[in-house]
Amino acid sequence: MATGRTHRPATRGRGIPEATVARLPLYLRALTALSERSVPTVSSEELAAAAGVNSAKLRKDFSYLGSYGTRGVGYDVEYLVYQISRELGLTQDWPVVIVGIGNLGAALANYGGFASRGFRVAALLDADAGLAGRLVAGLPVRHIDELEAIVADNQVSIGVIATPAGAAQEVTDRLVAAGVTSILNFAPTVLSVPDGVDVRKVDLSIELQILAFHEQRKAGEERQDPDGDVPAVMPA
Amino acid sequence: MATGRTHRPATRGRGIPEATVARLPLYLRALTALSERSVPTVSSEELAAAAGVNSAKLRKDFSYLGSYGTRGVGYDVEYLVYQISRELGLTQDWPVVIVGIGNLGAALANYGGFASRGFRVAALLDADAGLAGRLVAGLPVRHIDELEAIVADNQVSIGVIATPAGAAQEVTDRLVAAGVTSILNFAPTVLSVPDGVDVRKVDLSIELQILAFHEQRKAGEERQDPDGDVPAVMPA
DNA sequence: ATGTCTTTGTGAACGCGTGCACAAAGATGG
DNA sequence: CCATCTTTGTGCACGCGTTCACAAAGACAT
Ligand SMILES: NC(=O)c1ccc[n+]([C@@H]2O[C@H](COP(=O)([O-])OP(=O)(O)OC[C@H]3O[C@@H](n4cnc5c(N)ncnc54)[C@H](O)[C@@H]3O)[C@@H](O)[C@H]2O)c1
Ligand SMILES: NC(=O)c1ccc[n+]([C@@H]2O[C@H](COP(=O)([O-])OP(=O)(O)OC[C@H]3O[C@@H](n4cnc5c(N)ncnc54)[C@H](O)[C@@H]3O)[C@@H](O)[C@H]2O)c1
């Protein structure tokens, strides 16, 4: 019965479709660039080009937020930056913990784009006692046993997992038990979490395999017909 | 205009839907784990649970590859591993170059899961002359000027970009000009590429923002009604 | 004030992806 | 050889997401 209620019907509530939510950060990035160049307004056409999407889609996306454009003119850049930021919840601070400070975890800790948008690294955690106390990106690595206390003290609701795959589920369970309700998983494993906890995954290996599929397909079509279907009428 | 023809109409040709292609690596991973435990066959129900998907979806996905199951029994693990590997193009070697050997690029170079599935790091490239020759994950960092020669000599068709955002488009153009037709982009920028070149992006910042949106939404609903719509009849 | 011109906001059509539910296939046991 | 039981493969319906195309809105000039 648990699988029955799994996929929530998009983002009903006030009703911003999931696909739209996924594009808002893209728009925000493009708008921020315009804002830095002191551009006052932008049309859906221009902004769509900058974000790499269809302009009708962009307008429909914005229509879910309300009517923030002016016909004949376009959108006010600053106002839109604010509205999208607010909608995404970026006007508040989000404390984040990173678990697993190896190659990847250290790179993530050093990532500047992290802090720039309301995400603050509250702590770096690792099971390796030898790492404890070492400074990474200016922060001391704390032992994993401190997880529960750190999450509680800092009201952390977002956790990033960069441990080996074998440890990911265990770390997840501890994070969730401690109160974390959003997880970004870099380990190549399927995580089980209770209802109400969101998991998003970043999987390099999967991305490469998808590219390989299309690559193989291109190589195949190259010496066959470009439609890739039936060989039809071979020339001679 | 590269942005015009961006989304191809799924994977028509012989016709494996794009959504299915994206799940095949997931199945492959689960199957590989079963294979290592010498499990001979697996039912769609079991495998679906391991991959975290609906069993009907899994069966439909496999049906696009052909009828590889046996009714009343399930799927032969080894056979399926081979079929999916072949379909994804993992039976051949894919030389890959990584451009930008900073925090992230170095972590990627050290990533074990890279080589495990037919992806071979052909070279590490960076614009910083000071890095040239330094060993990262056992490979010497080469100067970016060698890009064209390396791509040609090794027949590289997949490039990974881990440079700062400002350099990503320029690197992309050089990669494409040199013959690369698939790009995995970690830099937070929209890349323009000509038709026939695939780009996939991994964007930590976007993932976090999506999580923040849902997190904010959860926090809001908590103290309102759980349906999130009209406040209806507030209990006094 | 009126007309023109630009650009938004959205109705409507369409296609893809998902999941239910079941008939057909085939294994297994007697 | 037949009955039973398990599990696949898929027809079908439904909902989400995308795109087209256009009416309405408003800026701006005269
Ligand atoms: N390096 C990459 O570029 C890359 C890319 C994609 C995916 N990944 C995945 O990210 C994860 C980390 O990769 P990495 O290269 O940094 O590995 P790594 O071995 O360098 O680092 C893993 C770290 O996790 C710590 N750890 C292990 N068990 C732990 C536990 N139970 N609790 C807390 N910390 C624990 C280890 O002490 C170590 O410091 C792996 O799952 C890997 O598959 C890495
Ligand atoms: N570090 C992370 O966890 C992380 C996460 C998400 C995204 N990113 C993105 O990945 C990219 C790299 O991040 P990083 O933390 O490794 O940065 P970094 O500054 O540590 O490394 C960037 C490297 O790229 C090299 N470089 C610069 N211009 C180049 C060019 N034209 N050609 C070749 N090489 C060039 C630099 O010499 C440097 O070695 C950035 O775009 C960043 O936004 C990083």
Side-chain angles (χ1 to χ4, degrees):
Chain A
M1 200 44 154
T3 26
R5 207 168 265 304
T6 309
H7 73 113
R8 56 207 64 200
T11 323
R12 32 161 215 198
R14 197 157 82 263
I16 298 182
E18 189 59 32
T20 295
V21 172
R23 281 188 294 269
L24 290 181
L26 226 50
Y27 302 145
L28 184 55
R29 184 175 289 158
L31 285 164
T32 304
L34 291 172
S35 172
E36 279 165 7
R37 290 196 286 130
S38 300
V39 177
T41 61
V42 66
S43 72
S44 63
E45 205 69 50
E46 295 168 309
L47 187 54
V53 302
N54 181 298
S55 72
K57 189 174 353 191
L58 177 142
R59 286 197 299 276
K60 183 149 286 187
D61 283 343
F62 286 173
S63 79
Y64 293 116
L65 310 184
S67 286
Y68 295 148
T70 308
R71 295 172 190 229
V73 177
Y75 298 90
D76 182 281
V77 172
E78 297 300 333
Y79 188 55
L80 205 45
V81 164
Y82 171 71
Q83 290 299 343
I84 295 179
S85 296
R86 196 177 50 80
E87 198 65 54
L88 286 173
L90 305 180
T91 49
Q92 61 185 283
D93 233 49
W94 294 104
V96 172
V97 292
I98 304 178
V99 186
I101 313 302
N103 288 307
L104 183 61
L108 294 175
N110 276 298
Y111 180 45
F114 232 124
S116 73
R117 279 254 170 255
F119 299 97
R120 183 172 50 82
V121 179
L124 308 176
L125 296 168
D126 201 291
D128 184 351
L131 277 179
R134 241 190 60 188
L135 286 185
V136 173
L139 285 173
V141 177
R142 316 271 292 269
H143 191 266
I144 189 75
D145 285 348
E146 301 185 64
L147 187 153
E148 285 76 12
I150 290 171
V151 168
D153 292 352
N154 297 78
Q155 302 206 40
V156 175
S157 53
I158 300 179
V160 176
I161 297 183
T163 65
Q169 183 63 56
E170 181 203 326
V171 168
T172 299
D173 293 343
R174 285 184 71 172
L175 284 171
V176 170
V180 166
T181 46
S182 286
I183 289 175
L184 183 52
N185 180 33
F186 285 86
T189 334
V190 177
L191 296 179
S192 326
V193 292
D195 275 12
V197 176
D198 282 311
V199 176
R200 295 191 68 87
K201 67 165 187 286
V202 173
D203 199 318
L204 170 63
S205 186
I206 288 182
E207 298 301 327
L208 281 175
Q209 289 175 48
I210 296 172
L211 285 177
F213 172 84
H214 292 296
E215 200 61 41
Q216 184 184 41
R217 174 163 256 287
K218 286 183 228 166
E221 277 175 3
E222 193 164 281
R223 52 182 112 75
Q224 304 241 340
D225 62 317
D227 203 38
D229 206 5
V230 192
V233 194
M234 280 295 273
Chain B
M1 197 45 137
T3 26
R5 206 169 265 305
T6 310
H7 74 112
R8 56 207 62 204
T11 321
R12 28 159 220 201
R14 196 157 82 263
I16 299 182
E18 190 59 32
T20 296
V21 173
R23 280 188 295 269
L24 290 182
L26 227 51
Y27 302 145
L28 183 55
R29 183 174 288 158
L31 285 164
T32 304
L34 292 172
S35 172
E36 278 165 8
R37 290 196 286 129
S38 301
V39 177
T41 61
V42 65
S43 71
S44 64
E45 205 69 50
E46 294 169 309
L47 187 55
V53 302
N54 180 298
S55 71
K57 191 179 342 194
L58 178 142
R59 287 197 298 276
K60 184 152 288 186
D61 283 342
F62 286 173
S63 79
Y64 293 116
L65 310 184
S67 286
Y68 296 147
T70 307
R71 295 171 190 231
V73 177
Y75 298 90
D76 182 282
V77 172
E78 297 299 333
Y79 189 56
L80 205 45
V81 164
Y82 171 71
Q83 291 298 343
I84 295 180
S85 296
R86 196 176 50 80
E87 199 64 53
L88 285 173
L90 304 180
T91 49
Q92 61 184 284
D93 234 48
W94 295 103
V96 172
V97 292
I98 304 177
V99 185
I101 313 302
N103 287 308
L104 183 61
L108 294 174
N110 276 298
Y111 181 44
F114 232 124
S116 73
R117 278 256 170 252
F119 299 96
R120 183 173 49 84
V121 180
L124 308 177
L125 296 168
D126 201 291
D128 185 351
L131 276 179
R134 240 190 62 188
L135 287 183
V136 173
L139 284 173
V141 176
R142 316 269 293 266
H143 191 266
I144 188 76
D145 285 347
E146 300 186 65
L147 186 154
E148 285 76 12
I150 289 171
V151 169
D153 292 352
N154 297 79
Q155 301 205 39
V156 175
S157 53
I158 301 178
V160 176
I161 296 183
T163 66
Q169 184 62 57
E170 181 204 324
V171 168
T172 298
D173 294 342
R174 285 184 71 171
L175 284 171
V176 170
V180 166
T181 46
S182 285
I183 289 176
L184 184 53
N185 180 33
F186 284 86
T189 335
V190 177
L191 296 179
S192 322
V193 292
D195 276 12
V197 176
D198 282 310
V199 176
R200 295 192 68 88
K201 67 166 188 287
V202 173
D203 198 317
L204 170 63
S205 186
I206 288 182
E207 299 301 325
L208 281 176
Q209 289 175 47
I210 296 172
L211 285 177
F213 172 84
H214 292 297
E215 199 60 42
Q216 185 184 40
R217 174 163 257 286
K218 285 183 227 165
E221 276 177 2
E222 193 164 281
R223 50 184 114 74
Q224 303 240 341
D225 62 317
D227 202 37
D229 204 2
V230 192
V233 194
M234 280 295 272

